[in-house]
Amino acid sequence: MALASMAAAPAFASSHREAPFITTAPKVDGADFYMFRSYEAERSDYVTVLANYLPLQDGYGGPNYFALDQNALYEIHIDNNGDAKEDLTFQFRFKNTLSNSGAGQALNVGGKMVNIPLVQFGGVSNVKDANLQLAETYSVTVVRGDRRSGSAQAVTNASGGSATFDKPVDNIGKKTLADYAGYAAKHIYTVNIPGCSMPAKLFVGQRQDAFAVNLGTIFDLVNAPVSVITDPSLIGAAPNTIDDKNVTTLGLEVHKSCLTNPSNGDDVIGGWTTASMRQARLLNGKPASGHQASEKAGGAWVQVSRLGMPLVNEVVIGLKDKDKFNASKPSADAQFADYVTHPTLPALLEIALTLPNTAPSNFPRTDLVTTFLTGIKGVNQPKSVVGAEMLRLNTAIPPVAFAQQNRLGIVGNILAGGNDNAGYPNGRRPKDDVVDISLVAVMGGLCMANGDTDKLGFGAACKPAAVPLGATSFKLHDAVDQAVVPLLSGFPYLNTPIPGTK
């Protein structure tokens, strides 16, 4: 096992403001990444990929709300041969345009036509609604091979063939958007992907943040009694601190045959999302009238955000390397090896919870390397694998209906002796409680399950004797229940966003 090429380990939360630079550029801050076999009826042969950006949006955040950056490049990458390099990339570019050919909407006030200050000037219910002053559109390009030098072709609307798509305006409030769910649904497109014989689905727009976490408590040195976070009966005892926040979702539902590599017969794919900005930015001290007219961007694309597994960069990568990780590619993850083989998170938990000598002692942590960086053999490990940080999914494992999904994913399935191997870290579904799963894993739960015979293949040193917490490691949680977060039954799965007024 190539420990030198490992990057990171499981983490506590979704990727919100995880690195110093990204706090200055929230529009390109990747928040969550999901990849799973679709569990909607009649869609089980499809894979849903969701990349969330611009976290912690408030519904009332007007008057400009949360349009994505037209000077940025948002990407979803797929590795389908296990070499830690992208083989498919879906590139999203945005354009935000004022109505009336850039002049915007004006009202006659005392005989003068004066531009209005809002993005809307009436009720909104349709695609390209006439009552919107700002049109948000985007294009999607599929690149085969290297993301910058590979073969690029446009994704097109199956109805009419256009390569430009409309993004719904954010959920301003009930007066402006009486039926936001219906309005947003009009922006779900059936699309043709070059090189793929099966039509796909596409959606880009605001959604309610599907992540559940006791965020403030965790970052305040886990400010919770040990008696609470080790008592399974108290899951759900604390409120989800971000249940009133929205995100912007880039969503694709693609037939699994279009993501795997037929030449190697491997059903396992890896995925991650990145955002890049132009290398240079010129600010105009005297901008012309228009929209986002103060900035002129140019130069090469520079990656500033990266997200695969949740959330490596937030609480695993050291503070000095967070910006470096966001700029890196999986193929270069050897430089971050120590953060997974010798993770600081268990030691920090010892300090935060005043529980000395409770961190697992099996160094290097091959259980975390295997589970989170190479994939688990027989579950989601590629036939030929280079260890790297990304979300890996075995597309041959059938999906499980929402009601039967184990919220603890693979860990929960092991404990229950069940039949749900379709959850995290084999991909990630919205229902998977990655906070609790990660707590269990990082504090030795996998070694408890591995036993003294290495029955799960995590390494001989990964055994119960290396886990001071013993069976208590299986009981760890953050007191917030991911399984009760409201979701949709089908694509794009994430719930209608919180409105600015109710």
Side-chain angles (χ1 to χ4, degrees):
M1 191 171 300
L3 295 181
S5 62
M6 302 307 138
F12 273 145
S14 64
S15 182
H16 296 139
R17 296 171 52 82
E18 77 284 353
F21 175 79
I22 207 64
T23 63
T24 71
K27 289 193 175 190
V28 289
D29 185 0
D32 277 290
F33 184 66
Y34 302 90
M35 185 167 66
F36 55 94
R37 282 277 298 272
S38 299
Y39 49 85
E40 179 182 1
E42 311 301 326
R43 302 292 291 181
S44 62
D45 284 336
Y46 285 78
V47 172
T48 293
V49 185
L50 307 173
N52 289 348
Y53 279 87
L54 219 174
L56 303 176
Q57 299 176 19
D58 290 309
Y60 52 80
N64 290 293
Y65 296 96
F66 302 98
L68 291 181
D69 190 350
Q70 62 185 11
N71 291 326
L73 174 64
Y74 301 83
E75 298 177 286
I76 294 172
H77 310 282
I78 301 294
D79 170 17
N80 60 22
N81 61 10
D83 66 353
K85 299 177 182 179
E86 68 273 7
D87 298 295
L88 292 172
T89 295
F90 296 93
Q91 298 180 334
F92 295 74
R93 292 293 311 275
F94 292 85
K95 188 174 183 180
N96 307 316
T97 310
L98 292 175
S99 60
N100 295 322
S101 301
Q105 178 65 30
L107 295 178
N108 188 326
V109 180
K112 289 190 174 184
M113 299 302 294
V114 183
N115 182 239
I116 67 170
L118 306 180
V119 298
Q120 89 284 20
F121 49 95
V124 175
S125 59
N126 295 308
V127 178
K128 302 182 186 297
D129 200 287
N131 285 335
L132 284 173
Q133 179 173 210
L134 182 69
E136 300 173 62
T137 60
Y138 64 97
S139 63
V140 183
T141 301
V142 60
V143 181
R144 298 184 183 276
D146 182 88
R147 65 180 82 173
R148 298 293 175 262
S149 61
S151 173
Q153 294 177 280
V155 173
T156 56
N157 195 332
S159 175
S162 174
T164 300
F165 304 92
D166 289 278
K167 173 187 172 294
V169 71
D170 295 336
N171 197 355
I172 296 169
K174 291 294 186 180
K175 187 173 184 178
T176 298
L177 293 136
D179 177 18
Y180 192 87
Y183 166 71
K186 296 176 182 178
H187 295 80
I188 298 175
Y189 297 97
T190 298
V191 298
N192 293 323
I193 299 173
C196 177
S197 62
M198 305 293 290
K201 286 186 178 182
L202 170 69
F203 173 80
V204 173
Q206 191 180 50
R207 297 283 89 190
Q208 181 180 358
D209 197 330
F211 193 76
V213 63
N214 199 355
L215 202 58
T217 293
I218 285 174
F219 289 129
D220 187 20
L221 297 176
V222 192
N223 188 9
V226 174
S227 60
V228 171
I229 63 174
T230 57
D231 184 349
S233 70
L234 294 178
I235 293 173
N240 173 16
T241 53
I242 59 173
D243 68 352
D244 61 346
K245 304 298 182 184
N246 297 324
V247 293
T248 300
T249 297
L250 316 182
L252 285 163
E253 188 179 47
V254 183
H255 196 275
K256 61 181 183 178
S257 65
C258 299
L259 298 176
T260 55
N261 186 343
S263 67
N264 62 18
D266 199 340
D267 295 311
V268 176
I269 59 174
W272 68 101
T273 185
T274 63
S276 300
M277 303 172 70
R278 291 295 188 184
Q279 193 170 37
R281 181 176 67 173
L282 179 66
L283 297 180
N284 187 349
K286 296 181 179 180
S289 298
H291 187 266
Q292 201 172 337
S294 297
E295 175 185 34
K296 185 174 181 60
W301 290 116
V302 177
Q303 182 181 301
V304 295
S305 178
R306 170 186 168 188
L307 177 59
M309 301 285 281
L311 175 52
V312 168
N313 205 9
E314 195 158 17
V315 296
V316 176
I317 300 297
L319 182 59
K320 69 176 185 178
D321 286 329
K322 288 179 179 292
D323 287 338
K324 180 186 290 188
F325 181 84
N326 265 355
S328 68
K329 296 181 178 180
S331 58
D333 278 347
Q335 62 188 312
F336 305 113
D338 288 348
Y339 288 119
V340 60
T341 59
H342 296 73
T344 60
L345 191 54
L348 282 171
L349 288 173
E350 286 185 337
I351 297 170
L353 298 173
T354 319
L355 292 174
N357 303 314
T358 54
S361 59
N362 56 307
F363 298 111
R365 290 293 301 273
T366 54
D367 53 326
L368 302 183
V369 168
T370 301
T371 304
F372 296 98
L373 303 176
T374 65
I376 303 170
K377 190 172 183 179
V379 179
N380 66 335
Q381 186 177 111
K383 293 179 178 179
S384 177
V385 62
V386 173
E389 191 280 309
M390 65 180 71
L391 199 59
R392 289 189 172 88
L393 173 70
N394 187 339
T395 63
I397 293 178
V400 174
F402 180 82
Q404 281 73 52
Q405 291 175 12
N406 193 312
R407 70 174 191 88
L408 293 179
I410 296 290
V411 171
N413 190 59
I414 291 172
L415 294 175
N419 298 304
D420 180 11
N421 283 319
Y424 183 76
N426 180 30
R428 179 188 175 190
R429 304 168 297 198
K431 187 178 180 179
D432 293 335
D433 197 329
V434 296
V435 173
D436 292 0
I437 296 168
S438 298
L439 279 168
V440 170
V442 80
M443 294 308 291
L446 298 174
C447 292
M448 291 296 296
N450 201 39
D452 292 320
T453 60
D454 194 22
K455 62 182 178 182
L456 299 176
F458 294 136
C462 179
K463 56 186 178 181
V467 185
L469 283 179
T472 301
S473 61
F474 290 132
K475 301 177 181 179
L476 290 167
H477 61 86
D478 73 335
V480 175
D481 189 359
Q482 175 71 50
V484 301
V485 171
L487 297 167
L488 304 180
S489 60
F491 184 81
Y493 289 95
L494 307 188
N495 197 34
T496 302
I498 304 297
T501 63
K502 298 181 180 180

